[in-house]
Amino acid sequence: MKRLKIKEINSCENPPEKALIGGWVRTRRDSKTFSFIEINDGSCLSNIQIIADSSIENYDNIAKLTTGSCISILGKIVESPGKGQKWEVQAEKIDIHNNAPEDFPLQKKRHSDEFLRTIAHLRPRTNKFSSVFRIRAELSQAVHSYFYEKGFRYIHTPILTASDCEGAGEMFSVSSDSVKNGFFFSKPANLTVSGQLEAEMMALSLGDVYTFGPTFRAENSNTSRHAAEFWMIEPEMSFCDLEQNMDVAEDFIKNIITRTRKNCSEDLELFNRFVDKTLFETLENILENRFVRITYKEAVEILKKSGQKFEYDPVYGADLQTEHERFITETEFKKPVFVYNYPKNIKPFYMRLNSDNETVAAMDLLVPKIGELIGGSQREERFDILQKRMEECSINKEEYWWYLDSRKYGSVYHSGFGMGFDRIMMLVTGVSNIRDVIPFPRTPGSIEF
Amino acid sequence: MKRLKIKEINSCENPPEKALIGGWVRTRRDSKTFSFIEINDGSCLSNIQIIADSSIENYDNIAKLTTGSCISILGKIVESPGKGQKWEVQAEKIDIHNNAPEDFPLQKKRHSDEFLRTIAHLRPRTNKFSSVFRIRAELSQAVHSYFYEKGFRYIHTPILTASDCEGAGEMFSVSSDSVKNGFFFSKPANLTVSGQLEAEMMALSLGDVYTFGPTFRAENSNTSRHAAEFWMIEPEMSFCDLEQNMDVAEDFIKNIITRTRKNCSEDLELFNRFVDKTLFETLENILENRFVRITYKEAVEILKKSGQKFEYDPVYGADLQTEHERFITETEFKKPVFVYNYPKNIKPFYMRLNSDNETVAAMDLLVPKIGELIGGSQREERFDILQKRMEECSINKEEYWWYLDSRKYGSVYHSGFGMGFDRIMMLVTGVSNIRDVIPFPRTPGSIEF
């Protein structure tokens, strides 16, 4: 008999009379002749109540079941007289797979996020973290569905790379003992910080493509917003300018949030109640507003005129600080804001030089309470200008012969952006530490499990 | 005006009268007063024909367009009198984004796969490789859709790891200069060879989960079937025994092949005609047969009785050699075969010990012309036996405290398997070298791009 999941039972108008169910015991309470067992099977946030009559043959052991134990139940699905649940199960047979010892760390009480990080292998058995990971799966599927339906092709860009896209990032080195002299790959290899350059090659052949894979930064700093290993989404589109790039980014974010809200409503409710009471407000603010679009120059002017006291004075030509970004999106506009056309000297070589010869067609999306969610640009498609920019940025042109090739043969205007998947997970759940949206997070000093 | 893709035009019964199209020139031929330009935009295998009248203002330049150039066309979509194409475009305006120099390496002639590997950044502009990567995207989506529809949760298991799941594999080491003394993660870190152990933790909370991500092997050997970086799919299911595990594997493979055949029929036709004339036969053999299931013991007996001369004699207790696997699936049964219940001494510690105390509940799926496509097992869920097996296999139990924890608290029978995504790409396309199904393949000595 195939196991029926709690989610399937709950979505039934007419569930089968008899079913096989499996799950983990959350609570048990006994009356004189019954045991009431709440189990959860991870398929949804809701538990289902099992009623075990004392006439069941192994009732003695059932009456000893502890929190965290695992059982299968063959029984009748009947309407529940209890509140907040549609169905319950009258057990006919219960198989006890494991009776958890009393030292099971997740007894029914509140645990701190810090403590739960030390048992990342068990925390998905809590309500909060099982919800996080269901939402993570749904949001992933939303990403794939969005692009698939728009005719984008999913591509796998390499994780091992000999280049450094940003020309800056601190990268992890990769080596192997299996080659005794010299390098496994004939030259030093790193873990990628971005699949963009390779994605451009694919976009200049297939049209619209996207990546969704892990990227890495070896930054030795412990913050609540950075992990050494994180998943990135990078669409890249031929025949696409900066304006259209921003259109796609806005539509994409609204679409995946809408889908996740619809399909994870029960899980998200939990976060709105217990994690961030302004969560739904924040999401509605994103969904219901057309995102603002201002140039970097306008942003600096707004900051200067604001009368606000900043730790760092806003200066044209310098990077916007987090405090500046927050002011723009949270105080000035109170909604998501694209800032575009940044000075070329603070942006990488591959961004398209504007006709002012001073700014490049870059865009960052700032979101209230999250900060920078997306960074993107129109790419420099002109062979000569790209070469000049590489020289200015001290990029080794010989190493990038293939990248330059793409501007020599069949070049066309094209654009793309990158979005940290874990960042949007934080946005959608209201969870404030990146360690709490990743199953087994990797941060400096932390690689248990 | 939004760009219309060739795929969209071709699937229209009534395309819009006027459209904006962009793409790369495949061929151009001129009559007295017209230029006929075939362009491809990567959205599908088919080109579309553009007719440029000499009255167009930049006709002089249009008449010089070379293979590989990139143009946009504003024009009328009209029914094509030509064979094999439904629509063509009468150009009103043509923007030339780039006129490719005559040394563009992909002139209209046959190129060897070996040569094309040296220009991996350009090869997706050929028919063969654009088809490969469209199929790769479709097959990826088929994987996600299959599991999503069955209620599996997609999980991201870590790429950076301190453990070695197989207790054997040659792993890449990862390090960083950003920590001056000691290790970035407080201990040595490697690139994962499998997400299985972490996936088990998630399955024992969420029920049914799967991974789909990159894995790595630092094996210094050059074969047509191994890459240093490859994508793996690893489902893991609670309340699932070996039999059900095989059921899922069989259903999964048939489902994703069926979907890809349906959605990529034009691309697959190319492979059946030019790459492997038995491709469709091979795929039908998989789709139309119930997979055979035999024990390892039966397999060895078949090999012994076969009268076949093998390089290595089949011996009970030793690994099956490739020649043995091929005989079983290609000669004996001529269809896919699950071989299960292998001797414990040739399998890893985490596979479930059978009641004979000699074999474990492992299964491998052998497929004609491909060999081993899937490896899986029911996992050892019994705390005491797992500990004993770890000791026998010289696994450091302290390091795996969290894995053992999962057998202490709420353990239940569970199973899973792993499938190399690039392997099934080879199966579905008939492409015989793994380097030709990966956008930028990583093999010993090879990390250009």
Side-chain angles (χ1 to χ4, degrees):
Chain A
M1 197 177 209
K2 202 175 158 278
R3 174 170 78 97
L4 207 62
K5 294 178 187 172
I6 296 173
K7 189 184 176 183
E8 295 170 308
I9 295 171
N10 283 346
S11 65
C12 272
E13 278 310 308
N14 293 300
E17 209 178 291
K18 219 166 193 172
L20 179 67
I21 299 152
W24 292 270
V25 175
R26 286 295 172 85
T27 58
R28 199 200 77 242
R29 62 195 169 81
D30 305 313
S31 76
K32 269 179 202 161
T33 49
F34 291 99
S35 214
F36 298 92
I37 310 161
E38 293 253 343
I39 64 162
N40 185 282
D41 67 3
S43 67
C44 59
L45 184 61
S46 301
N47 302 328
I48 199 162
Q49 178 160 273
I50 312 295
I51 299 148
D53 185 298
S54 61
S55 65
I56 289 185
E57 76 174 303
N58 54 346
Y59 187 77
D60 285 356
N61 292 327
I62 292 166
K64 288 180 204 146
L65 279 172
T66 52
T67 298
S69 299
C70 188
I71 58 175
S72 293
I73 305 99
L74 188 68
K76 272 188 195 151
I77 303 178
V78 296
E79 272 188 76
S80 175
K83 248 192 180 171
Q85 59 200 22
K86 203 163 151 193
W87 307 105
E88 58 185 31
V89 178
Q90 288 177 343
E92 292 175 358
K93 189 169 178 297
I94 294 184
D95 282 335
I96 301 176
H97 303 297
N98 168 284
N99 201 350
E102 296 289 348
D103 65 350
F104 178 56
L106 297 171
Q107 299 301 328
K108 208 181 161 69
K109 61 158 190 160
R110 273 245 157 159
H111 302 280
S112 74
D113 290 335
E114 289 72 19
F115 167 70
L116 291 173
R117 276 174 220 147
T118 68
I119 50 166
H121 59 305
L122 296 177
R123 65 179 180 170
R125 300 191 194 180
T126 63
N127 281 342
K128 179 174 173 180
F129 285 92
S130 67
S131 286
V132 164
F133 298 125
R134 278 190 296 272
I135 293 167
R136 195 174 167 103
E138 187 64 41
L139 197 56
S140 298
Q141 185 67 16
V143 169
H144 284 299
S145 297
Y146 177 84
F147 286 121
Y148 183 78
E149 285 157 18
K150 300 266 177 200
F152 283 63
R153 306 294 178 171
Y154 179 42
I155 56 168
H156 295 134
T157 48
I159 310 299
L160 298 169
T161 171
S163 67
D164 174 356
C165 173
E166 302 288 330
E170 290 184 294
M171 298 180 87
F172 287 106
S173 323
V174 175
S175 58
S176 163
D177 288 341
S178 67
V179 173
K180 293 299 165 215
N181 300 304
F183 299 110
F184 187 93
F185 294 107
S186 76
K187 48 179 154 177
N190 303 312
L191 293 181
T192 188
V193 295
S194 162
Q196 178 202 316
L197 302 193
E198 288 91 356
E200 284 184 60
M201 301 304 103
M202 302 300 280
L204 290 168
S205 312
L206 300 176
D208 295 333
V209 301
Y210 72 105
T211 73
F212 184 4
T215 51
F216 304 84
R217 299 237 176 197
E219 224 167 304
N220 188 17
S221 66
N222 266 298
T223 82
S224 60
R225 293 160 45 80
H226 295 89
E229 174 181 330
F230 52 100
W231 283 62
M232 279 267 282
I233 297 153
E234 298 182 287
E236 191 71 34
M237 299 155 279
S238 287
F239 306 96
C240 177
D241 63 20
L242 189 68
E243 195 72 23
Q244 294 167 312
N245 198 16
M246 290 191 272
D247 291 345
V248 173
E250 181 169 345
D251 186 55
F252 168 62
I253 287 177
K254 288 177 173 174
N255 182 293
I256 62 174
I257 293 177
T258 302
R259 176 172 161 146
T260 305
R261 279 200 64 173
K262 182 167 159 274
N263 292 347
C264 290
S265 54
E266 189 191 29
D267 291 315
L268 283 172
E269 196 66 58
L270 180 95
F271 291 92
N272 192 53
R273 285 176 64 191
F274 298 117
V275 174
D276 174 3
K277 288 197 192 309
T278 66
L279 177 61
F280 284 173
E281 221 174 275
T282 305
L283 297 180
E284 268 145 39
N285 180 269
I286 293 170
L287 295 179
E288 286 166 15
N289 284 300
R290 175 109 169 86
F291 296 0
V292 176
R293 299 181 187 191
I294 58 170
T295 64
Y296 166 87
K297 202 175 166 188
E298 288 165 336
V300 172
E301 275 156 21
I302 288 168
L303 292 166
K304 283 185 166 169
K305 283 186 196 151
S306 68
Q308 183 84 3
K309 187 80 200 132
F310 294 111
E311 200 183 331
Y312 295 89
D313 275 340
V315 182
Y316 184 93
D319 259 327
L320 296 181
Q321 300 293 320
T322 304
E323 55 175 342
H324 302 150
E325 296 181 341
R326 293 190 71 136
F327 180 85
I328 297 276
T329 184
E330 289 172 8
T331 310
E332 177 73 16
F333 291 105
K334 298 183 180 63
K335 57 181 114 162
V337 180
F338 284 111
V339 180
Y340 64 96
N341 287 355
Y342 285 75
K344 66 175 178 179
N345 61 306
I346 55 170
K347 290 289 182 186
F349 71 92
Y350 52 72
M351 296 188 173
R352 192 178 197 277
L353 191 63
N354 288 321
S355 53
D356 60 13
N357 270 319
E358 199 183 294
T359 60
V360 289
M363 60 97 162
D364 283 352
L365 175 64
L366 311 178
V367 175
K369 303 213 306 192
I370 295 293
E372 188 193 319
L373 184 63
I374 276 180
S377 69
Q378 186 169 337
R379 319 306 189 185
E380 183 54 76
E381 86 279 16
R382 295 160 297 183
F383 188 68
D384 296 343
I385 299 176
L386 180 62
Q387 280 195 308
K388 232 178 100 189
R389 286 287 293 142
M390 289 175 93
E391 284 159 19
E392 283 172 22
C393 297
S394 306
I395 302 286
N396 182 343
K397 283 192 287 181
E398 277 70 46
E399 254 182 49
Y400 288 89
W401 64 273
W402 51 276
Y403 191 71
L404 281 162
D405 250 15
S406 69
R407 276 45 176 185
K408 198 169 159 191
Y409 306 116
S411 188
V412 66
Y413 67 104
H414 63 287
S415 301
F417 61 87
M419 186 183 80
F421 181 69
D422 310 290
R423 285 280 173 86
I424 191 146
M425 267 300 294
M426 292 167 75
L427 168 67
V428 168
T429 56
V431 167
S432 58
N433 196 311
I434 198 168
R435 291 167 183 80
D436 298 332
V437 296
I438 300 177
F440 299 93
R442 299 302 187 230
T443 52
S446 174
I447 196 169
E448 204 70 38
F449 319 107
Chain B
M1 197 176 208
K2 203 176 159 279
R3 173 170 79 99
L4 207 61
K5 294 178 186 173
I6 297 174
K7 190 185 175 183
E8 294 168 312
I9 296 172
N10 283 346
S11 65
C12 272
E13 278 311 307
N14 293 300
E17 210 177 291
K18 218 166 193 171
L20 179 68
I21 300 152
W24 292 269
V25 174
R26 287 296 172 85
T27 58
R28 198 201 76 241
R29 61 194 170 81
D30 305 313
S31 76
K32 268 180 206 160
T33 49
F34 292 99
S35 212
F36 298 93
I37 310 161
E38 293 252 342
I39 64 161
N40 185 283
D41 68 2
S43 67
C44 58
L45 184 61
S46 301
N47 302 329
I48 200 160
Q49 179 161 273
I50 313 294
I51 299 149
D53 186 300
S54 60
S55 65
I56 289 187
E57 75 173 305
N58 55 344
Y59 188 76
D60 285 356
N61 292 326
I62 291 167
K64 287 180 205 145
L65 279 172
T66 52
T67 298
S69 299
C70 189
I71 59 176
S72 292
I73 305 99
L74 188 69
K76 273 189 194 150
I77 302 177
V78 297
E79 271 188 80
S80 174
K83 246 190 179 172
Q85 57 200 24
K86 203 164 152 193
W87 307 105
E88 58 185 31
V89 179
Q90 288 175 344
E92 291 175 359
K93 189 169 178 298
I94 294 184
D95 282 335
I96 301 176
H97 302 298
N98 168 283
N99 201 351
E102 296 288 350
D103 65 349
F104 179 57
L106 297 171
Q107 298 302 328
K108 208 180 158 73
K109 60 160 193 160
R110 274 245 156 160
H111 302 280
S112 73
D113 290 335
E114 289 73 18
F115 167 69
L116 291 172
R117 275 173 221 147
T118 68
I119 50 167
H121 59 305
L122 296 176
R123 66 179 179 170
R125 300 191 194 180
T126 64
N127 281 342
K128 180 174 172 181
F129 286 93
S130 67
S131 286
V132 164
F133 298 125
R134 278 191 296 273
I135 294 168
R136 196 174 166 103
E138 186 64 41
L139 197 56
S140 298
Q141 185 67 17
V143 169
H144 284 299
S145 297
Y146 177 84
F147 286 122
Y148 183 78
E149 286 158 18
K150 299 265 177 200
F152 284 63
R153 306 293 178 173
Y154 180 42
I155 56 169
H156 295 135
T157 49
I159 310 299
L160 298 169
T161 171
S163 68
D164 173 356
C165 173
E166 301 289 330
E170 289 183 296
M171 298 180 88
F172 286 106
S173 322
V174 175
S175 58
S176 163
D177 289 341
S178 67
V179 172
K180 293 300 163 216
N181 299 305
F183 299 110
F184 187 93
F185 293 107
S186 75
K187 48 179 154 177
N190 303 311
L191 293 180
T192 188
V193 295
S194 162
Q196 178 201 316
L197 302 193
E198 287 92 354
E200 285 185 59
M201 302 304 103
M202 303 300 280
L204 290 169
S205 311
L206 300 177
D208 295 333
V209 301
Y210 72 105
T211 73
F212 185 4
T215 51
F216 304 83
R217 298 236 177 198
E219 225 168 303
N220 187 17
S221 66
N222 266 299
T223 81
S224 61
R225 293 159 45 78
H226 295 89
E229 173 180 330
F230 53 99
W231 283 63
M232 279 266 283
I233 297 153
E234 299 184 286
E236 191 71 35
M237 299 157 278
S238 287
F239 307 96
C240 178
D241 63 20
L242 189 68
E243 196 74 22
Q244 294 167 311
N245 197 16
M246 290 191 274
D247 292 345
V248 172
E250 180 168 344
D251 186 55
F252 168 62
I253 286 178
K254 289 177 173 174
N255 181 292
I256 62 175
I257 292 176
T258 302
R259 177 173 160 145
T260 306
R261 279 200 63 172
K262 183 167 159 276
N263 293 345
C264 290
S265 54
E266 190 191 30
D267 291 315
L268 283 172
E269 196 67 56
L270 179 95
F271 291 92
N272 192 53
R273 284 176 63 193
F274 298 116
V275 174
D276 174 4
K277 287 197 191 308
T278 66
L279 177 62
F280 284 174
E281 221 174 277
T282 305
L283 296 180
E284 268 145 40
N285 180 271
I286 293 170
L287 295 179
E288 286 167 16
N289 284 300
R290 175 109 171 83
F291 296 180
V292 176
R293 299 183 186 191
I294 58 170
T295 64
Y296 167 87
K297 201 175 167 186
E298 288 165 337
V300 173
E301 274 155 22
I302 288 168
L303 292 166
K304 282 185 164 171
K305 282 185 196 152
S306 67
Q308 183 84 3
K309 188 80 199 131
F310 294 110
E311 200 184 330
Y312 294 90
D313 276 339
V315 182
Y316 184 93
D319 259 326
L320 297 180
Q321 300 293 320
T322 304
E323 56 175 342
H324 302 148
E325 295 180 342
R326 294 190 71 136
F327 180 86
I328 298 276
T329 185
E330 288 172 8
T331 310
E332 177 74 15
F333 292 105
K334 298 182 180 61
K335 57 180 114 164
V337 179
F338 283 112
V339 179
Y340 64 96
N341 287 354
Y342 284 75
K344 66 175 179 180
N345 60 305
I346 56 170
K347 290 291 182 185
F349 72 92
Y350 52 73
M351 297 189 173
R352 191 179 198 276
L353 191 64
N354 287 322
S355 54
D356 60 14
N357 270 318
E358 200 183 296
T359 60
V360 289
M363 60 95 159
D364 283 352
L365 175 63
L366 312 178
V367 175
K369 303 212 308 192
I370 295 292
E372 190 192 317
L373 184 64
I374 276 181
S377 69
Q378 185 169 336
R379 319 307 188 185
E380 184 55 75
E381 86 279 16
R382 295 160 297 183
F383 187 67
D384 297 344
I385 299 175
L386 180 62
Q387 281 196 305
K388 233 179 101 188
R389 286 286 294 141
M390 289 175 94
E391 285 159 20
E392 283 173 21
C393 297
S394 307
I395 302 287
N396 182 343
K397 283 191 289 182
E398 277 70 46
E399 254 181 51
Y400 289 90
W401 64 274
W402 50 276
Y403 191 70
L404 281 162
D405 250 15
S406 69
R407 276 45 176 186
K408 199 169 158 191
Y409 306 114
S411 187
V412 66
Y413 67 104
H414 62 287
S415 301
F417 61 86
M419 187 183 79
F421 180 69
D422 310 290
R423 285 282 172 85
I424 192 145
M425 268 301 294
M426 293 168 74
L427 168 67
V428 168
T429 57
V431 167
S432 58
N433 196 312
I434 197 166
R435 290 168 183 78
D436 298 333
V437 297
I438 300 176
F440 299 92
R442 298 305 187 226
T443 52
S446 174
I447 197 168
E448 205 67 38
F449 318 107

